[in-house]
Amino acid sequence: MKRAILAAASTVASLVLLLSFKTHGPSAVATPPAAVSNGTNSGGNDTSSATTTKNKAKAKKSTTTSRAASTYTGSAADTRYGPVRVRVTVANGKVTNAEAVVYPTSAALDQQINSYAIPQLNSEATSASSANIDMISGATFTSQGYIASLQSALDQAGL
Amino acid sequence: VTTRVEHCMGTVFTVSIRDDGDWSLAIADVVGWLHTVDATFSTYRPDSDICRIHRGELTVEDAHPMVTDVLDRCARVQHDTGGFFSSLIDGQVDPTGLVKGWAIERASAMLSRAGARNHAVNGGGDMQLAGEAEPGRAWAVGTTDPRDRSRVLSVIEVRDGAVATSGVTERGRHIVDPFTGRPVANGLASATVTGARLTEVDAYATAAFVMGLPALGWAEPRGGVEVLLVDEEGARHSSSGWTTNEIECQLQ
């Protein structure tokens, strides 16, 4: 079942990344690479959050070395069963691989995932790979449903 | 790009700021605001103002002033939609259908005031969008296929606007027709509405889902409001302006 989750999570991520990946043009202004801040905190007691900041220096690097494959590891998206983290490989401006590198393994999650029937990659979605999609609108999902949502994969990609 | 993901109100909020800078304080303010709204309006928290009103322990007049503000807005939307949106559930006041959109619109205004001109605040699929996604490129918003949420049915361009979808969720049919008191069963699977402000747009999406196909005729004379309906067979029905905003791409 663990394998099934991994496969499913990867499938969701790759589908959305195909939809969402954008190439970043070379930046005219050099941004100090040390400017990344992950220090955002609500100050409250809610631990279910994640913040990512992606600076231009990183984006620039990925385009100037476009012949080589680059990997990005998204921020952890916390679910009630634990964090999910996706690693993406980009080569020549296209996502060539996406896999969940951190994912929950509890039996409860297995049931949860199965009950949502994790979406499968399909040819229609692949054909939409030229579209830059920034946000997803759909009937409101629950906190648990978010894990399998297209929005979740967009957020994890941090692109 | 600065992205923050926050669990609140039983769903997940995504805040995405496309301007350069350190937005950690502004985002912390927004996150605090969302949790304050939840603490005041949640029907799942026994100590919320709304639950206390339900139990007769608190009057609307004595509740937090934002309760009155939200109920006033509910009344206006109820009027705008001919009663297809209602904040009265089982005889009790329940502004749940409007409060999230209102909270998001206010959150977006907070970010604008803090100087973030280009940002999105998306709460569980309902969003307020400010500016553009990238210089010269509008926000591209995909709407999911209600029958297969891994698929995108339509992609529209939005600059400075709101998008909301109501419909059948993973929890099933939970939107009640205020005229019958029963879950909506009109053949629709989802209704997506675009417009200027999410407070109204989110509630309009709920109303459009209850209306069914007549929602198209309701929206047509309303400037700036566009509707996409998807029925249970997967067929799309949209207002004329929706098609205008749609981005051409090979989506089925």
Side-chain angles (χ1 to χ4, degrees):
Chain A
M1 192 49 72
K2 186 189 289 186
R3 181 166 303 187
I5 294 174
L6 179 60
S10 300
T11 302
V12 175
S14 32
L15 180 155
V16 175
L17 291 167
L18 284 168
L19 289 173
S20 68
F21 180 74
K22 310 180 256 299
T23 52
H24 295 259
S27 169
V29 181
T31 307
V36 179
S37 166
N38 283 325
T40 304
N41 193 310
S42 68
N45 57 4
D46 192 289
T47 55
S48 312
S49 61
T51 303
T52 54
T53 302
K54 182 166 165 291
N55 66 7
K56 280 186 175 171
K58 189 177 169 187
K60 187 178 180 181
K61 188 179 172 189
S62 73
T63 51
T64 51
T65 57
S66 59
R67 291 297 160 201
S70 310
T71 59
Y72 300 94
T73 302
S75 61
D78 281 341
T79 73
R80 64 189 292 180
Y81 301 108
V84 175
R85 199 160 188 173
V86 176
R87 184 167 59 208
V88 179
T89 305
V90 179
N92 296 323
K94 289 186 176 170
V95 175
T96 56
N97 187 41
E99 59 182 327
V101 290
V102 178
Y103 48 90
T105 53
S106 72
L109 183 81
D110 288 0
Q111 293 177 352
Q112 199 77 50
I113 295 283
N114 288 337
S115 70
Y116 289 127
I118 289 271
Q120 295 295 307
L121 184 62
N122 59 50
S123 57
E124 291 89 346
T126 311
S127 72
S129 60
S130 60
N132 291 331
I133 296 178
D134 301 297
M135 285 284 149
I136 299 290
S137 182
T140 306
F141 43 73
T142 60
S143 268
Q144 302 95 294
Y146 171 78
I147 183 181
S149 73
L150 294 174
Q151 186 63 50
S152 162
L154 283 182
D155 295 340
Q156 287 170 43
L159 292 170
Chain B
V1 177
T2 303
T3 303
R4 169 73 178 247
V5 175
E6 183 73 15
H7 291 245
C8 186
M9 304 187 198
T11 185
V12 177
F13 289 74
T14 301
V15 178
S16 181
I17 299 178
R18 303 301 174 101
D19 300 297
D20 290 333
D22 178 358
W23 302 107
S24 48
L25 288 177
I27 289 175
D29 283 348
V30 161
V31 166
W33 159 252
L34 294 174
H35 285 289
T36 300
V37 172
D38 189 37
T40 307
F41 289 94
S42 173
T43 55
Y44 294 94
R45 293 178 173 218
D47 59 341
S48 74
D49 283 22
I50 290 298
C51 283
R52 293 178 62 207
I53 290 169
H54 287 176
R55 289 196 303 269
E57 300 168 9
L58 185 69
T59 64
V60 171
E61 292 72 27
D62 292 333
H64 193 290
M66 64 183 173
V67 172
T68 303
D69 183 6
V70 164
L71 290 177
D72 284 349
R73 289 162 188 273
C74 285
R76 248 173 282 160
V77 171
Q78 184 164 352
H79 177 264
D80 288 348
T81 59
F84 280 93
F85 173 87
S86 175
S87 58
L88 269 184
I89 311 261
D90 295 333
Q92 284 195 309
V93 61
D94 184 352
T96 302
L98 183 133
V99 96
K100 180 159 65 75
W102 172 79
I104 291 170
E105 186 187 323
R106 294 271 296 251
S108 171
M110 289 168 71
L111 292 175
S112 294
R113 277 200 300 278
R117 292 188 176 167
N118 302 284
H119 65 257
V121 183
N122 183 352
D126 305 318
M127 68 202 77
Q128 185 78 45
L129 304 161
E132 302 178 318
E134 291 178 280
R137 186 175 70 79
W139 292 95
V141 180
T143 56
T144 52
D145 182 341
R147 300 186 307 166
D148 176 357
R149 292 171 149 235
S150 72
R151 292 179 51 192
V152 171
L153 267 187
S154 169
V155 183
I156 52 166
E157 286 192 324
V158 181
R159 281 184 175 83
D160 290 317
V163 185
T165 300
S166 287
V168 179
T169 70
E170 73 255 35
R171 289 166 294 176
R173 298 187 167 275
H174 71 290
I175 297 175
V176 170
D177 182 335
F179 293 109
T180 65
R182 302 169 67 91
V184 172
N186 57 14
L188 281 194
S190 74
T192 303
V193 174
T194 63
R197 294 166 173 274
L198 191 60
T199 304
E200 288 78 23
V201 163
D202 196 5
Y204 285 175
T206 305
F209 183 71
V210 178
M211 286 180 200
L213 291 178
L216 297 178
W218 169 82
E220 211 61 58
R222 294 182 172 270
V225 176
E226 304 298 341
V227 178
L228 170 70
L229 306 174
V230 181
D231 67 28
E232 287 167 343
E233 272 70 54
R236 300 172 30 159
H237 313 268
S238 57
S239 60
S240 50
W242 182 278
T243 320
T244 311
N245 296 334
E246 207 158 21
I247 301 173
E248 285 294 325
C249 57
Q250 295 175 320
L251 295 174
Q252 188 175 330

